[in-house]
Amino acid sequence: MNGENTTLPEDGAALQVAPEAAAATDTPPVDEKTGPGDGEKAQLDIPLEMPVLPVRDIVVFNYMILPLFVGRDKSVQAVDAALSGNRYILILTQKDEKVDEPGPDDLHVVGTVGMIMRMLKMPDGRLKVLVQGLTRARVTEFTSTDPFHLAKIEVLEERDVKEITLEQEAMMRAAREQSEKILSLRGIATADIMSVLNSVNEPGRLADLIASNLRMRVDEAQKILECEDPIERMHLVNNQLVKEVEVASMQAKIQNMAKEGMDKAQKDFFLREQMKAIRKELGEGEDEDDDMEVLRKALDKAGLPKEVKKEADKQLKRLTGMHPDSSEASVIRTYLDWMAELPWKKLSRDQLDIKEAKRILDEDHYDLDKVKERILEYLSVRKLNPGMKGPILCFVGPPGVGKTSLGRSIARALKRKFVRMSLGGMRDEAEIRGHRRTYIGSMPGRIVQSIKQAGTRNPVIMLDEIDKVGTDFRGDPSSALLEVLDPEQNFSFSDHYLNVPFDLSKVMFICTANILDTIPAALLDRMEIIRLPGYTEQEKVHIAKRFILPRQVQENGLKKTDMVLSDQVLSQIIRDYTREAGLRNLEREVGSVCRKLARRKAEGEKPPFRITAKALVKLLGQPRHLDEEHEKVLPPGVAVGLAWTPVGGEILHIEVATMPGKGKLHLTGKLGDVMKESAQAALSYARSRAKELGLDPDFTEKLDIHVHVPSGATPKDGPSAGVTLVTALISALTNTPVCHDVAMTGEITLRGRVLPVGGVKEKILAAVAAGMTRVIIPKRNEKDLEEIPKELRAKIVVQTVEHMDEIWPLACGRTKPEGAAS
């Protein structure tokens, strides 16, 4: 054992009382030197100083008889010293079993006084000793550490239990029962051992006897040894027994499951071989696998292309020669099932009645004329040229504008199957292309799965949230989509699982996205972009009346005649409670109104319920969006800008303050890099035009300028705030206020040119919702005004500019600033 003091390896149960331990409960050891004893510790002549034997991986308890190997020099000399004296030795457990030469600090102070009953010298110089634990003892002082450890001790006498209570008796019985259960789970005969345990009536002695034979960690056993109260010691032993019962039960369960599995596999193999033999004797060997014949017929009916049929026949031939229970046979069988179930030749017949398709699209969606026109164009070309390839459309717009529902309407108009597939958060390329069959649990990609789900080769597949596809170490799904969304390549799309080409050219793919910035350029090039901007207030009122209100009335158990909701009240809900580009919050608010009316009806009130502006506050609470931030007169240094966000347009207040300083520019409001650069450009423009604006040419040497955009916790960035920054800056420097009802958007150059921006419709929608009467946009964005409905343009005046010099008169209503700030 390489100089270690350790117990001999034992085979057996977690709880097994050794014959020596059983004898120790009745009589003390008899030795030729010590003579017979009377079994009482009080009569044992235990000295108060004795040699110490450190042990590594065991805790010795009272009444425990066990063999030990002793190999370390100090330990051998300690045993020799004990044998030359009265044979008593103190056995202490090491705190860290890895320490080869333990000192006093490496040993627990509580151990067991043991008597050496037998000693045998091994050929390699080690000693094999048989020791019996007699009593607990605590080290009070180490008197020597060389040539061996010698310690003074204090004997820890066993506390007497005068009268055993019912609780203590129950604890002892539970310990015996748990011990018997462990023995039975281990398959060990219990009769002799239980007779020994039943003969012990002292709690402390029973606890020591059981603990000495339990499989525990050294620290847990040392904790029990150090416990002087016999009742508490019995409690600790019971806790260990409960743990051991759980472990033993689980081991027995695992062994039984493994045995049953092996027995079943052997039985199935034997029966299968018998069936083969019986069929062979009956002359039915040719039809022994009817399942194979069914699979073969399914493959024949699937209409597989020539190359695919060749691969399927090859795999079927391999499967026929394999054992049915082999893992490879299961993989091939699943593969052939996929090949047989895919719609290789099944096509749904398109609805090519253009007028009927237009009626369906108008029935499902209000407005969206451009989208409907594109779908009708597709149907018209399809009618004239049935062999055309499916288009790749991409609907881009804020959440809630109807992108996904529009895909369903297109499938309904075409009378094709519709399958929706969400790409949001997808990071594994195998989700698109599938896993190779060499992997356990491999499956085709979600494109092929969608084709199988649809049951036809020309469904409408909607790829939702294509702008939220991610990438990591598992691959780039957006790159895998390049083949799927290219009509020149997807006629022979290869899935890694199928490993044969599948024609996707007849599939109509429709993608949706909130923004285009995160879509790779190569992928974006394969799609036809159709923008769905937000709805105007009037459009929302029409949509609410035609679609949202009837649907919510029905879903909440009401009738059409149960509520009266005017257009004015709907407009109030839109203005005061939603203010979004889409319709989701509007549907939630209308649903909330319907639920409250449904409760009133269920409580006995009689409809119809008339919803007025006053009643709306009671139903939905106070308005969530107020116009209180719009002042009738803006202070100098404040201008209203327009911003585009993924959820629609927003107004943006930009504030500029000047103060005595040395020309520092402070930017706050969590601005992005683009807006920071726009602020720098605005300051440079103002300096370059100081004379024309009536400013002190050296104003940057006398003033610090602070630019702030409120709502500082919200990140802001984008190339559309340049003109607003310049206007606010000039307003602050000249002490001239800007008109409160004017909003503007556009980017500037250092020379003052106003550059075009995106999202014009969304921004004008936001301006109208915020109560603005005029909007200033770049001249080159004039073409975008065609997308704005006439009723929206009637509510606001749109003014176009090409140069910054044109903006100031429009923004403040004056041709020249009144005076510059000093």
Side-chain angles (χ1 to χ4, degrees):
M1 294 257 176
N2 298 325
E4 295 183 357
N5 300 333
T6 181
T7 56
L8 287 173
E10 293 181 1
D11 295 326
L15 177 73
Q16 182 173 359
V17 180
E20 296 91 350
T25 59
D26 298 322
T27 58
V30 179
D31 189 84
E32 60 271 13
K33 288 188 177 181
T34 61
D38 58 4
E40 297 296 330
K41 271 192 257 181
Q43 297 182 11
L44 293 174
D45 186 16
I46 297 177
L48 297 181
E49 186 175 22
M50 63 181 66
V52 176
L53 175 63
V55 291
R56 292 178 187 269
D57 54 359
I58 191 170
V59 176
V60 179
F61 289 89
N62 293 348
Y63 323 114
M64 188 175 182
I65 298 177
L66 76 162
L68 293 173
F69 273 128
V70 181
R72 292 185 283 210
D73 293 338
K74 286 188 177 183
S75 300
V76 171
Q77 294 188 48
V79 171
D80 290 340
L83 288 172
S84 62
N86 50 21
R87 295 200 173 195
Y88 289 114
I89 193 166
L90 179 63
I91 304 172
L92 295 179
T93 304
Q94 294 182 200
K95 295 178 182 178
D96 185 356
E97 63 179 24
K98 297 178 182 178
V99 178
D100 289 329
E101 296 296 335
D105 294 336
D106 299 319
L107 303 174
H108 289 282
V109 295
V110 177
T112 303
V113 175
M115 174 172 282
I116 301 176
M117 301 171 63
R118 297 283 186 272
M119 187 273 286
L120 177 65
K121 241 176 201 183
M122 307 295 289
D124 57 1
R126 290 182 299 164
L127 302 180
K128 178 182 178 183
V129 295
L130 185 68
V131 297
Q132 178 185 5
L134 300 179
T135 183
R136 287 176 174 77
R138 180 184 286 109
V139 175
T140 59
E141 180 186 358
F142 281 91
T143 57
S144 176
T145 58
D146 192 43
F148 55 84
H149 292 297
L150 190 65
K152 289 183 178 181
I153 66 167
E154 172 192 357
V155 176
L156 302 178
E157 299 290 347
E158 185 75 13
R159 297 180 185 177
D160 293 332
V161 180
K162 296 180 180 179
E163 184 178 353
I164 298 177
T165 64
L166 290 176
E167 182 181 356
Q168 295 165 1
E169 179 64 30
M171 194 183 304
M172 294 172 66
R173 288 189 183 182
R176 295 188 184 103
E177 290 173 1
Q178 299 276 34
S179 302
E180 186 175 12
K181 188 172 183 179
I182 293 172
L183 292 168
S184 62
L185 287 171
R186 302 295 184 190
I188 300 171
T190 61
D192 294 339
I193 299 173
M194 291 310 300
S195 65
V196 174
L197 297 180
N198 289 329
S199 66
V200 179
N201 296 319
E202 300 175 13
R205 200 169 203 183
L206 181 61
D208 289 342
L209 183 58
I210 295 175
S212 63
N213 290 277
L214 266 178
R215 293 176 183 172
M216 292 183 288
R217 298 200 312 266
V218 173
D219 57 338
E220 294 173 343
Q222 182 68 28
K223 185 178 179 182
I224 294 174
L225 179 70
E226 294 177 0
C227 182
E228 298 183 34
D229 186 353
I231 302 303
E232 179 63 24
R233 199 156 67 244
M234 189 75 246
H235 181 70
L236 292 175
V237 169
N238 257 321
N239 290 341
Q240 291 296 328
L241 284 169
V242 170
K243 292 181 185 178
E244 188 60 32
V245 167
E246 292 179 358
V247 173
S249 301
M250 185 57 66
Q251 284 182 330
K253 181 180 178 181
I254 293 171
Q255 290 174 356
N256 290 336
M257 289 172 63
K259 184 179 179 183
E260 289 174 3
M262 290 177 62
D263 292 345
K264 184 178 185 304
Q266 292 173 351
K267 180 180 177 182
D268 290 349
F269 177 77
F270 179 70
L271 291 175
R272 195 170 286 107
E273 292 300 318
Q274 282 187 325
M275 289 174 63
K276 286 183 181 180
I278 292 171
R279 285 183 176 181
K280 187 176 181 180
E281 290 296 326
L282 293 174
E284 298 177 357
E286 301 83 11
D287 302 324
E288 67 174 334
D289 199 347
D290 297 334
D291 201 24
M292 292 293 176
E293 189 62 30
V294 172
L295 183 58
R296 184 178 286 104
K297 291 180 179 179
L299 290 170
D300 291 339
K301 291 180 180 179
L304 305 178
K306 186 176 180 180
E307 293 182 6
V308 179
K309 185 68 166 61
K310 183 179 179 181
E311 177 66 19
D313 291 342
K314 175 184 175 183
Q315 296 298 330
L316 185 63
K317 185 176 180 181
R318 289 183 61 203
L319 180 63
T320 306
M322 290 182 180
H323 194 282
D325 289 339
S326 67
S327 58
E328 190 176 359
S330 175
V331 171
I332 295 176
R333 175 58 198 261
T334 305
Y335 171 74
L336 292 175
D337 285 341
W338 272 98
M339 298 280 274
E341 292 172 9
L342 282 173
W344 296 93
K345 63 178 182 179
K346 186 176 180 181
L347 292 167
S348 58
R349 182 173 296 179
D350 284 344
Q351 163 82 20
L352 297 178
D353 187 337
I354 310 301
K355 292 183 179 180
E356 177 64 16
K358 185 177 185 303
R359 185 194 66 79
I360 292 174
L361 291 173
D362 290 338
E363 180 183 323
D364 290 349
H365 287 270
Y366 177 79
D367 196 34
L368 301 179
D369 294 332
K370 277 194 172 182
V371 182
K372 295 175 182 177
E373 184 180 348
R374 178 64 184 86
I375 300 306
L376 296 176
E377 288 173 0
Y378 167 75
L379 292 177
S380 302
V381 175
R382 180 82 180 177
K383 186 174 184 178
L384 301 176
N385 179 19
M388 72 168 292
K389 297 175 181 178
I392 313 296
L393 303 180
C394 182
F395 298 150
V396 181
V401 295
K403 300 186 293 295
T404 303
S405 60
L406 187 60
R408 292 193 182 93
S409 298
I410 292 171
R412 178 169 168 243
L414 291 171
K415 292 198 179 301
R416 289 192 184 187
K417 298 288 185 179
F418 177 78
V419 182
R420 177 184 169 275
M421 187 173 124
S422 178
L423 302 180
M426 183 182 292
R427 296 179 179 276
D428 191 353
E429 180 187 353
E431 291 280 341
I432 303 296
R433 290 192 178 276
H435 298 83
R436 299 194 183 277
R437 297 199 302 275
T438 52
Y439 295 100
I440 296 174
S442 57
M443 289 186 66
R446 292 177 62 185
I447 298 294
V448 172
Q449 291 181 39
S450 300
I451 297 291
K452 179 187 173 185
Q453 179 184 345
T456 64
R457 196 161 58 88
N458 62 338
V460 174
I461 296 182
M462 173 151 281
L463 305 177
D464 252 339
E465 313 292 352
I466 197 170
D467 57 328
K468 298 175 180 63
V469 175
T471 177
D472 64 7
F473 65 93
R474 291 168 292 187
D476 184 4
S478 59
S479 298
L481 285 170
L482 293 175
E483 181 183 2
V484 176
L485 300 181
D486 190 344
E488 299 300 325
Q489 299 181 34
N490 62 13
F491 67 91
S492 60
F493 172 71
S494 178
D495 185 275
H496 287 161
Y497 181 84
L498 298 180
N499 204 27
V500 291
F502 190 93
D503 186 3
L504 298 178
S505 61
K506 301 297 182 184
V507 178
M508 184 174 186
F509 288 103
I510 299 177
C511 307
T512 70
N514 296 133
I515 56 176
L516 296 178
D517 300 347
T518 57
I519 304 177
L523 184 59
L524 195 62
D525 183 60
R526 282 158 167 77
M527 300 183 289
E528 180 180 341
I529 306 301
I530 299 179
R531 296 186 179 273
L532 280 72
Y535 296 102
T536 65
E537 181 180 319
Q538 195 62 33
E539 289 171 343
K540 288 182 180 180
V541 171
H542 282 292
I543 294 170
K545 288 174 63 178
R546 285 183 54 182
F547 304 103
I548 296 176
L549 193 57
R551 180 165 60 244
Q552 289 298 327
V553 165
Q554 182 180 0
E555 289 181 0
N556 289 281
L558 297 173
K559 297 179 181 177
K560 293 181 179 180
T561 57
D562 287 348
M563 64 184 297
V564 179
L565 191 63
S566 65
D567 291 359
Q568 291 77 13
V569 176
L570 276 174
S571 296
Q572 187 177 348
I573 295 176
I574 294 166
R575 284 194 310 271
D576 297 345
Y577 294 91
T578 60
R579 284 202 187 173
E580 56 175 342
L583 301 164
R584 288 178 182 166
N585 285 328
L586 176 59
E587 181 145 6
R588 292 189 189 102
E589 299 300 335
V590 172
S592 179
V593 171
C594 292
R595 286 195 303 273
K596 289 175 172 58
L597 297 182
R599 178 183 175 184
R600 288 168 58 179
K601 183 178 179 180
E603 289 176 348
E605 291 189 41
K606 294 185 178 180
F609 304 107
R610 183 174 296 277
I611 311 301
T612 62
K614 186 177 180 181
L616 194 62
V617 176
K618 294 182 179 179
L619 293 171
L620 296 179
Q622 292 298 324
R624 297 178 181 83
H625 303 279
L626 300 174
D627 295 333
E628 59 188 8
E629 66 272 15
H630 308 308
E631 306 172 20
K632 291 184 178 179
V633 177
L634 291 178
V638 180
V640 180
L642 295 172
W644 180 92
T645 70
V647 295
E650 286 186 2
I651 65 167
L652 202 66
H653 283 78
I654 294 181
E655 301 176 354
V656 177
T658 61
M659 61 211 79
K662 296 182 180 180
K664 291 184 179 179
L665 177 63
H666 302 279
L667 303 174
T668 56
K670 207 167 186 180
L671 306 182
D673 292 338
V674 176
M675 286 194 71
K676 290 178 181 178
E677 292 173 0
S678 296
Q680 294 283 356
L683 180 58
S684 298
Y685 171 77
R687 291 180 63 186
S688 68
R689 304 282 292 176
K691 184 177 180 180
E692 291 81 353
L693 297 172
L695 304 176
D696 184 350
D698 299 327
F699 72 88
T700 54
E701 297 178 5
K702 302 175 183 179
L703 298 174
D704 283 349
I705 299 172
H706 187 164
V707 179
H708 177 67
V709 183
S711 301
T714 305
K716 309 167 191 72
D717 201 11
S720 63
V723 296
T724 317
L725 285 164
V726 173
T727 304
L729 179 62
I730 296 174
S731 173
L733 292 172
T734 61
N735 200 31
T736 304
V738 177
C739 297
H740 72 283
D741 58 348
V742 176
M744 59 193 73
T745 183
E747 193 52 86
I748 62 164
T749 67
L750 290 177
R751 294 175 294 165
R753 291 179 56 232
V754 179
L755 303 180
V757 293
V760 172
K761 180 180 179 181
E762 290 89 341
K763 292 175 180 178
I764 293 179
L765 281 172
V768 172
M772 299 290 157
T773 61
R774 287 188 295 146
V775 172
I776 300 174
I777 66 171
K779 180 74 173 178
R780 290 168 63 183
N781 281 118
E782 193 171 9
K783 58 181 176 24
D784 297 321
L785 298 178
E786 297 177 2
E787 300 179 3
I788 301 175
K790 293 180 180 179
E791 64 271 12
L792 182 63
R793 293 190 61 180
K795 295 181 179 180
I796 196 165
V797 176
V798 180
Q799 297 171 314
T800 60
V801 294
E802 291 182 314
H803 196 276
M804 192 64 214
D805 291 343
E806 304 173 44
I807 293 181
W808 182 252
L810 298 175
C812 65
R814 297 184 178 94
T815 57
K816 292 184 179 180
E818 287 185 347
S822 59

